[in-house]
Amino acid sequence: MIFAWLGDRSQHVLAWLASHAPLGRQGARLTGDAILAIGVLLIAVTAARLLMALQVSRDRRQASAPLVTGNRSARALALAAARAADAGAYDAAVRSIFSAAVVLLDLRGVLSDEHGATINDLRRVLRAKNAAIERPFADLARAYSTAAYAE
C-alpha cells in the first residue's frame, strides 16, 4: 500500500511538473530517472548511517569493562585506591574506589553487583531502596565513568 501510494504521489508530481514546465517525452524520462536516482541515493545514505550506528553500538558494548573484577574485598579495593592515588594514578584510584563502593553495597545487601549491570541500573536500585545514598553514588559513578571510559 505504501509503494502504491508513493507511486501515485510521484505520478501527481510528474504530472504537475509536465504541466508547468513542458519537457517533452525525453525530459520527463530524464526527470523520472533523476528522481529515482535521488531516491536510491537517499536509501543508500540512510542504510550506511544505520550500519555505522550499529557498529558504534557494538564497539561500545565490546569496550565496556566489568565494574568489579577479581577482588571482592571492599577494604582491599579501598587500600588499592589509596595506593594508586598516592602514586598519582588517579584514574586507577577512582576505578578502585568505585569498585569498593559497589562491593560494599553488594556485601551489605543494598544492591546486587550482577554481571552486565550498568551504572544507571545500580543507581535505579539505590534510588528505590535508599534515595539518600543515590546522590553520592551518582557523583562517584560520574567520576568512575570519566576515568574508565573517557578518552
Side-chain angles (χ1 to χ4, degrees), residues 23-49:
L23 301 172
R25 190 182 259 321
Q26 184 67 17
R29 188 164 26 139
L30 289 176
T31 302
D33 290 344
I35 290 172
L36 183 61
I38 290 170
V40 168
L41 183 64
L42 183 64
I43 290 171
V45 167
T46 303
R49 288 184 53 107

Side-chain angles (χ1 to χ4, degrees), residues 73-97:
S73 168
R75 185 175 190 280
L77 287 166
L79 290 174
R83 283 191 304 274
D86 287 341
Y90 299 114
D91 58 337
V94 169
R95 287 194 303 266
S96 292
I97 200 70

Side-chain angles (χ1 to χ4, degrees), residues 46-66:
T46 303
R49 288 184 53 107
L50 177 63
L51 289 175
M52 288 186 333
L54 288 173
Q55 183 62 38
V56 167
S57 175
R58 186 176 303 126
D59 289 346
R60 282 186 184 153
R61 268 186 273 133
Q62 289 174 351
S64 66

Side-chain angles (χ1 to χ4, degrees), residues 5-137:
W5 181 83
L6 287 173
D8 187 45
R9 295 298 131 222
S10 66
Q11 289 298 324
H12 288 291
V13 169
L14 289 176
W16 181 83
L17 282 174
S19 68
H20 286 78
L23 301 172
R25 190 182 259 321
Q26 184 67 17
R29 188 164 26 139
L30 289 176
T31 302
D33 290 344
I35 290 172
L36 183 61
I38 290 170
V40 168
L41 183 64
L42 183 64
I43 290 171
V45 167
T46 303
R49 288 184 53 107
L50 177 63
L51 289 175
M52 288 186 333
L54 288 173
Q55 183 62 38
V56 167
S57 175
R58 186 176 303 126
D59 289 346
R60 282 186 184 153
R61 268 186 273 133
Q62 289 174 351
S64 66
L67 293 177
V68 179
T69 57
N71 196 350
R72 295 284 300 164
S73 168
R75 185 175 190 280
L77 287 166
L79 290 174
R83 283 191 304 274
D86 287 341
Y90 299 114
D91 58 337
V94 169
R95 287 194 303 266
S96 292
I97 200 70
F98 180 77
S99 296
V102 171
V103 167
L104 185 61
L105 290 170
D106 185 21
L107 293 175
R108 298 270 166 96
V110 177
L111 56 81
S112 177
D113 180 24
E114 298 173 3
H115 181 69
T118 65
I119 291 172
N120 286 331
D121 292 339
L122 298 175
R123 285 183 62 193
R124 276 190 289 279
V125 170
L126 284 176
R127 192 178 308 122
K129 288 189 175 185
N130 189 345
I133 62 173
E134 191 270 333
R135 184 75 211 146
F137 183 82

